[in-house]
């Protein structure tokens, strides 16, 4: 009996469930409250749908606003403590974008503030949007807007949560005097598909990780240091390098630095990849990557970075490095003009992180700030925000005023010249060659640079001199070919031998010792340098400019050897003249010998400004003979604008060695050279040999030179003996015999000199008779 009753109950239950399902299907899944007539209920559903549309529209507009403004509203509404314009922000696409991270500080809004702002915005828009609904339904529907309450549920902030926002709005509503039933049509609820929550979590994690790791600060520094794009053989933004060309100049104006820096940072923005590991540099390109944010990855997000709107740098920094230092001789000389430089940049900039929402198409944007500064080791590193500025330290609020007018040697204004006073940029000259502005007070260094066509000028000037348009003239650089010759100077005479016999003797000019009693002749033999290397220093009173016959291309790469690296490690001690030990000195000598390449007999120099009288000093040494100093030079030379060739005549020493050349020896060599009618530097090319005869020269002294020129035919016609006949056969003992120097009365000196002048052009020989 009980079993049959149980079966009846089960069947009845099934019938009831079926009946309910049929009812719900017929009624569209709704249950009409028993107290609400069906017709009224239909109107309530219509009203609820209309309000839902208002809420959805308000949510959509709020999302767009808050994505554009990085989780903030663009403007405050009732109930919102701060909007985007109330926090630090930067412009992008004509909108304010808030900073979520600046240098070492993360400053994103917390999720509770974002949720509250979203709720307040939706509520404000719903209130305003209900006007149309009220007009539509008139007195048929009554909305109690004084009791509106909005609750937003931002999902997706945690893994595996749905990509959506749930919005619940309580606003008591009556339709035809019937209150919308709770749990059915009220409160109003919508679901909005969006990755807002996931994007917010990414931004929060990025801000915190970036404040700690300074991703883009590091990327910016690396992009500058590893940039391969060149301008005039050096990177566009020079940092560290070595100049190997004598007279080489590396200069970048502030305008160039600002433009090149922008190029580099735009590259960083476009080449940074997300959720990938950093790859080694390849194919001459450098890319950057962020693999994760403290272990978290957001691979489903489309992330990009951009510089802020119309961002330009206004740094007043400039780069100026020269290779004008003469290599010093310390028993070795590395045969290249080398000068290293090191430059770091202080700068800061904002950039925008953008993430596109695939559901709405809106882009969530927030800003980050990079700051790079130069540390005490002159290396760039991430810095504090505010530490990097547009003006060099000490160049703010300058108290004095100055103006500088820049012209060329013809008086024509030079536009585009960069002027720096006391380390603080005054600015760039305009078309009229004038620049003016605030400057430091007192005596400072004035620096003016235009282009490589003109000299760069450095002078110590008082600020008083700049107060009333200080005139500056930049002389043009001259491209001249410098020819290198060595001059061997020999004295020929006699020494007293046995029985007071006069024996021929010779020695080098300015030799420390010379076994000669009587100096008769001096010859100056000119020939191009062979294996010798020459180092010259041109001093115009403001700059010392080196000129050398070393071929830098022949020594390229030689400085990478272990010996050269050892030598370079002690460069400062060597330059200061301090003892570095025998092993280091030997390494430096081996480095120098390994860098040897055959010198040039002439070279083109394009860094000597014209218009100056130069004091010139130099040495010549033999790198294949332990770098012995074989010659020394001291002289002067005026470089005019029409000079195209300069001839250097380096007098050879009477003795060679590693010891420095004393001033007395330089003066002696110069004097001996002058006796031959030769200047140490000249625009004229001299003949091969110059013979200098004493005032009491004799005919026989000329014979050797004439024989050297192959012009001895008829030499006897120049000589006659007192007893008649011709030299030498008819000269008896009273006139001397052979080449006895006492036989001086037999020579027609005037005719002999005429013969020498006839032979000079073809023979390359010039004879000078002192006192004639």
């Amino acid at each position: 009996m009980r079993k049959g009753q149980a079966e009846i109950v089960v069947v009845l239950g099934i019938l009831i469930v079926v009946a309910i399902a049929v009812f719900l299907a017929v009624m569209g899944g709704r249950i009409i409250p028993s107290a609400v007539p069906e017709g009224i209920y239909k109107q309530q559903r219509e009203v609820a749908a209309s309000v839902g549309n208002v809420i959805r529209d308000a949510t959509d507009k709020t999302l767009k606003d808050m994505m554009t403004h990085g989780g903030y509203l663009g403007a405050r509404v009732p109930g919102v403590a701060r909007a985007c314009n109330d926090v630090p922000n930067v412009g992008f696409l004509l909108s304010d974008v808030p900073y979520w991270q600046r240098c070492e500080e993360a400053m994103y809004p917390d999720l509770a503030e974002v949720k509250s702002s979203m709720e307040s915005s939706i509520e404000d828009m719903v209130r305003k949007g209900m006007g149309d609904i009220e007009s539509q339904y008139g007195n048929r529907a009554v909305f109690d807007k004084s009791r509106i309450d909005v609750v937003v549920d931002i999902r997706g902030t945690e893994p595996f949560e749905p990509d959506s926002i749930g919005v619940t709005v309580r606003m008591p509503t009556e339709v035809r005097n019937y209150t919308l039933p709770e749990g059915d049509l009220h409160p109003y609820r919508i679901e909005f598909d969006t990755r807002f929550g996931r994007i917010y979590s990414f931004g929060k994690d990025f801000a915190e990780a970036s404040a700690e790791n300074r991703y883009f600060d590091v990327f910016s520094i690396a992009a500058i240091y590893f940039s391969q794009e060149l301008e005039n053989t050096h990177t566009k933004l020079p940092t560290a390098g070595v100049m190997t060309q004598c007279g080489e100049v590396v200069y970048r104006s502030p305008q160039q630095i600002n433009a090149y820096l922008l190029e580099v940072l735009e590259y960083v923005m476009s080449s940074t990849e997300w959720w990938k590991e950093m790859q080694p540099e390849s194919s001459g390109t450098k890319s950057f990557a962020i693999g994760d944010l403290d272990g978290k990855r957001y691979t489903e997000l489309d992330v990009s970075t951009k510089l802020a709107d119309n961002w330009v740098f206004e740094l007043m920094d400039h780069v100026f490095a020269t290779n004008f230092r003469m290599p010093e001789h310390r028993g070795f000389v590395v045969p290249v003009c080398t000068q290293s430089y090191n430059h770091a940049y202080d700068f800061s900039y904002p950039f925008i992180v953008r993430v596109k929402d695939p559901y709405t198409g809106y882009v969530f944007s927030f800003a980050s700030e990079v700051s790079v500064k130069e540390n005490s080791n002159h290396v760039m590193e991430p810095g504090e925000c505010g530490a990097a500025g547009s003006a060099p330290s000490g160049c703010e609020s300058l108290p004095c005023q100055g103006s500088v007018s820049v012209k060329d040697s013809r008086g024509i204004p030079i536009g585009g010249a960069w002027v720096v006073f006391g380390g603080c940029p005054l600015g760039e000259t305009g078309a009229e060659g004038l620049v003016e502005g605030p400057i430091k007070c007192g005596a400072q260094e004035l620096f003016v640079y235009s282009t490589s066509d003109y000299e760069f000028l450095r002078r110590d000037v008082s600020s008083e001199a700049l107060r009333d348009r200080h005139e500056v003239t930049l002389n043009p650089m001259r491209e001249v070919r410098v020819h290198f010759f060595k001059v061997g100077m020999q004295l020929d005479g006699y020494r007293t031998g046995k029985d007071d016999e006069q024996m021929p003797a010779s020695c080098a000019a300015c030799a420390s010792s010379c076994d000669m009693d009587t100096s008769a002749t001096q010859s100056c033999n000119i020939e191009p340098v062979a294996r010798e290397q020459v180092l010259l220093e041109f001093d115009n009173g403001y700059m010392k400019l080196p000129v050398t016959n070393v071929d830098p291309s022949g020594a390229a790469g030689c400085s990478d050897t272990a010996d050269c690296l050892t030598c370079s490690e002690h460069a400062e001690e060597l330059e200061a003249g301090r003892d570095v030990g025998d092993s280091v000195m030997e390494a430096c000598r081996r480095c120098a010998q390994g860098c040897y390449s055959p010198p040039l007999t002439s070279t083109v120099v394009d860094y000597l400004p014209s218009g100056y009288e130069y004091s010139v000093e130099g040495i010549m040494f033999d790198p294949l003979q332990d770098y012995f100093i074989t010659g020394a030079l001291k002289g002067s030379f005026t470089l005019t604008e029409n000079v195209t060739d300069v001839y250097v005549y380096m007098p050879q020493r009477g003795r060679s060695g590693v010891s420095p050349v004393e001033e007395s020896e330089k003066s002696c060599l110069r004097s001996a050279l002058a006796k031959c009618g030769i200047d140490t530097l000249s625009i004229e090319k001299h003949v091969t040999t110059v013979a200098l005869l004493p005032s009491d020269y004799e005919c026989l002294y000329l014979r050797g030179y004439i024989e050297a020129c192959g012009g001895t035919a008829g030499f006897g016609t120049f000589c006659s003996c007192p007893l008649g006949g011709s030299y030498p056969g008819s000269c008896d003992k009273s006139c001397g015999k052979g080449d006895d120097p006492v036989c001086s009365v037999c020579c027609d000196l005037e005719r002999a000199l005429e013969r020498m002048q006839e032979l000079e052009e073809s023979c390359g020989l010039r004879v000078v008779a002192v006192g004639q």
Side-chain angles (χ1 to χ4, degrees):
M1 181 68 181
R2 289 182 179 177
K3 179 178 179 183
Q5 289 176 342
E7 290 177 347
I8 293 172
V9 171
V10 170
V11 171
L12 287 174
I14 293 174
L15 291 174
I16 291 171
V17 170
V18 172
I20 292 173
V22 171
F23 174 79
L24 291 176
V26 172
M27 298 301 295
R30 67 186 186 281
I31 300 177
I32 302 174
S34 58
V36 181
E38 182 177 351
I40 300 298
Y41 183 72
K42 289 182 178 179
Q43 293 182 36
Q44 286 180 332
R45 287 177 57 82
E46 180 183 336
V47 169
S50 298
V51 174
N53 289 336
V54 172
I55 296 171
R56 183 171 296 277
D57 183 64
T59 303
D60 181 70
K61 291 178 178 177
T62 297
L63 273 178
K64 182 178 181 180
D65 186 24
M66 296 188 73
M67 284 193 171
T68 300
H69 297 98
Y72 294 93
L73 295 172
R76 274 190 283 181
V77 299
V80 173
R82 57 180 188 167
C84 183
N85 54 11
D86 297 314
V87 299
N89 62 76
V90 66
F92 183 72
L93 297 181
L94 305 179
S95 296
D96 294 332
V97 176
Y99 284 105
W100 277 36
Q101 177 254 330
R102 299 184 72 188
C103 304
E104 70 282 0
E105 180 184 3
M107 50 198 311
Y108 56 87
D110 62 42
L111 188 59
E113 181 180 2
V114 173
K115 178 176 178 294
S116 176
S117 296
M118 189 175 293
E119 290 169 346
S120 296
S121 174
I122 293 173
E123 178 180 337
D124 183 66
M125 290 187 183
V126 167
R127 288 181 183 277
K128 295 175 180 177
M130 287 303 297
D132 292 338
I133 302 296
E134 290 173 322
S135 298
Q136 178 182 351
Y137 291 102
N139 57 10
R140 290 178 296 165
V142 178
F143 306 94
D144 188 355
K145 292 185 292 183
S146 66
R147 295 170 60 189
I148 290 181
D149 180 58
V150 178
V151 177
V152 170
D153 181 15
I154 301 176
R155 308 185 188 102
T157 57
E158 298 296 333
F160 308 114
E161 289 185 349
D163 292 331
S164 65
I165 287 178
V167 181
T168 301
V169 178
R170 287 190 172 275
M171 182 173 56
T173 304
E174 291 183 356
V175 177
R176 300 289 190 180
N177 297 321
Y178 284 91
T179 301
L180 262 65
E182 288 291 322
D184 178 19
L185 301 180
H186 191 270
Y188 302 103
R189 291 186 178 89
I190 67 162
E191 291 294 321
F192 201 98
D193 292 337
T194 176
R195 278 194 180 149
F196 183 93
R198 188 68 172 156
I199 295 170
Y200 171 86
S201 292
F202 157 76
K204 171 178 173 293
D205 290 340
F206 172 81
E208 292 176 347
S210 184
E212 179 180 356
N213 300 309
R214 307 293 291 274
Y215 299 115
F216 283 85
D217 306 65
V218 174
F219 296 165
S220 300
I221 294 170
I224 293 173
Y225 276 127
F226 294 105
S227 172
Q228 300 298 315
E229 194 166 359
L230 302 180
E231 179 175 297
N232 299 328
T233 72
H234 293 272
T235 57
K236 284 187 170 183
L237 288 173
T239 51
V242 177
M243 296 173 286
T244 59
Q245 297 284 343
C246 285
E248 191 173 358
V249 175
V250 178
Y251 178 77
R252 301 290 184 269
S253 70
Q255 290 89 338
Q256 289 175 307
I257 290 174
N258 291 328
Y260 297 156
L261 191 56
L262 191 62
E263 288 181 11
V264 169
L265 300 182
E266 285 176 339
Y267 175 80
V268 171
M269 294 295 108
S270 62
S271 63
T272 299
E273 298 181 302
W274 296 83
W275 326 127
K276 295 182 179 180
E277 298 303 320
M278 190 83 77
Q279 297 298 317
E281 186 174 352
S282 62
S283 304
T285 60
K286 179 69 177 176
S287 61
F288 307 97
I290 298 176
D292 60 74
L293 303 175
D294 292 339
K296 297 180 182 179
R297 293 190 173 198
Y298 294 82
T299 56
E300 74 278 19
L301 298 184
D302 180 12
V303 184
S304 63
T305 53
K306 300 286 184 181
L307 291 177
D309 276 351
N310 303 315
W311 180 257
V312 293
F313 288 97
E314 296 180 348
L315 304 181
M316 300 299 284
D317 192 11
H318 71 282
V319 176
F320 183 72
T322 61
N323 188 17
F324 292 148
R325 186 179 63 181
M326 175 68 70
E328 296 188 32
H329 183 279
R330 299 187 182 279
F332 65 90
V333 177
V334 177
V336 286
C337 288
T338 59
Q339 178 67 56
S340 62
Y341 62 84
N342 184 48
H343 192 87
Y345 302 88
D346 279 12
F347 62 91
S348 62
Y349 70 92
F351 68 94
I352 311 300
V353 181
R354 311 184 75 216
V355 187
K356 187 174 183 179
D357 181 3
Y359 296 99
T360 63
Y362 303 144
V363 177
F364 193 108
S365 300
F366 62 87
S368 180
E369 184 172 354
V370 164
S371 179
V372 174
K373 71 171 185 178
E374 177 183 7
N375 65 19
S376 58
N377 295 320
H378 307 294
V379 175
M380 289 180 287
E381 66 180 12
E384 298 178 1
C385 281
S390 61
S393 176
C395 295
E396 307 87 359
S397 303
L398 300 175
C400 289
Q401 288 289 319
S403 64
V404 175
S405 175
V406 182
K407 299 179 180 179
D408 66 13
S409 57
R410 297 168 295 173
I412 299 175
I414 300 176
W418 189 251
V419 180
V420 179
F421 185 70
C424 297
L426 181 58
E428 187 180 37
T429 59
E432 72 286 357
L434 182 67
V435 62
E436 52 190 4
I439 59 172
K440 286 183 177 179
C441 296
Q444 307 287 343
E445 182 186 65
L446 175 66
F447 168 83
V448 183
Y449 184 86
S450 174
T451 67
S452 58
D453 295 332
Y454 294 95
E455 67 174 313
F456 63 88
L457 182 140
R458 302 178 96 154
R459 303 284 190 275
D460 290 331
V461 182
S462 169
S463 58
E464 288 293 316
L466 269 66
R467 187 170 59 180
D468 298 319
R469 189 173 291 194
H470 183 68
E471 299 285 344
V472 169
T473 298
L474 297 184
N475 290 305
M477 292 292 192
R478 286 298 304 155
E479 182 176 284
V480 296
R481 179 169 287 278
V482 181
H483 306 264
F484 298 91
F485 293 92
K486 59 183 178 180
V487 183
M489 298 178 295
Q490 180 172 301
L491 300 177
D492 293 301
Y494 303 93
R495 63 181 175 84
T496 303
K498 294 180 180 180
D499 302 326
D500 294 328
E501 183 179 2
Q502 295 291 300
M503 305 289 293
S506 63
C507 61
C510 302
S512 57
S513 62
C514 181
D515 186 13
M516 184 186 299
D517 298 328
T518 304
S519 175
T521 66
Q522 174 181 316
S523 62
C524 298
N525 299 298
I526 304 170
E527 58 182 320
V529 294
R531 67 188 191 189
E532 299 86 0
Q533 294 175 337
V534 177
L535 300 177
L536 301 175
E537 186 175 75
F538 284 66
D539 185 353
N540 63 8
Y542 303 104
M543 294 183 298
K544 295 181 178 181
L545 309 174
V547 174
T548 177
N549 69 335
V550 172
D551 182 2
S553 63
C558 71
S559 58
D560 294 334
T561 64
D563 286 329
C564 288
L565 293 176
T566 299
C567 190
S568 64
E569 289 173 359
H570 297 81
E572 292 186 5
E573 296 102 303
L574 289 166
E575 290 175 10
R578 296 195 292 269
D579 183 17
V580 295
D582 293 341
S583 62
V584 174
M585 292 294 289
E586 285 302 318
C588 291
R589 289 192 183 97
R590 289 193 297 270
C591 169
Q593 291 169 353
C595 287
Y596 174 77
S597 61
L600 304 170
T601 57
S602 69
T603 186
V604 174
V605 176
D606 59 1
Y607 52 85
L608 293 176
S610 61
Y612 289 102
E613 180 179 359
Y614 290 92
S615 296
V616 185
E617 293 195 44
I619 59 171
M620 179 173 65
F621 50 89
D622 188 344
L624 302 184
Q625 189 182 355
D626 292 330
Y627 280 91
F628 280 5
I629 300 176
T630 58
L633 175 152
K634 185 173 184 178
S636 61
F637 180 76
T638 299
L639 181 62
T640 60
E641 291 190 33
N642 59 348
V643 171
T644 58
D645 290 85
V646 176
Y647 297 89
V648 176
Y649 298 99
M650 174 68 73
Q652 293 182 271
R653 299 180 76 186
R655 67 186 189 281
S656 61
V658 296
S659 59
V661 183
E662 301 293 337
E663 288 297 318
S664 58
E665 186 178 358
K666 290 181 183 178
S667 297
C668 179
L669 291 171
R670 181 180 183 183
S671 177
L673 195 64
K675 287 179 180 179
C676 288
I678 302 173
D679 290 327
T680 51
L681 293 102
S682 175
I683 60 174
E684 297 178 1
K685 183 177 181 181
H686 290 295
V687 296
T688 304
T689 302
V690 176
L692 179 68
L693 303 182
S695 57
D696 59 346
Y697 64 92
E698 302 168 1
C699 181
L700 294 180
Y701 300 155
L702 296 173
R703 181 175 181 133
Y705 298 118
I706 295 176
E707 286 176 346
C709 289
T712 56
F715 184 79
T717 61
F718 304 152
C719 295
S720 61
C721 290
L723 301 179
S726 61
Y727 172 84
S730 299
C731 290
D732 61 17
K733 230 176 180 183
S734 62
C735 189
K737 59 183 178 180
D739 291 333
D740 195 319
V742 300
C743 188
S744 60
V745 296
C746 68
C747 186
D748 185 346
L749 297 175
E750 184 176 347
R751 180 69 190 97
L753 285 174
E754 288 177 358
R755 179 60 178 157
M756 286 307 308
Q757 292 168 359
E758 292 171 2
L759 296 171
E760 178 176 328
E761 183 173 351
S762 61
C763 186
L765 171 68
R766 179 162 56 92
V767 174
V768 178
V770 176
Q772 186 183 24

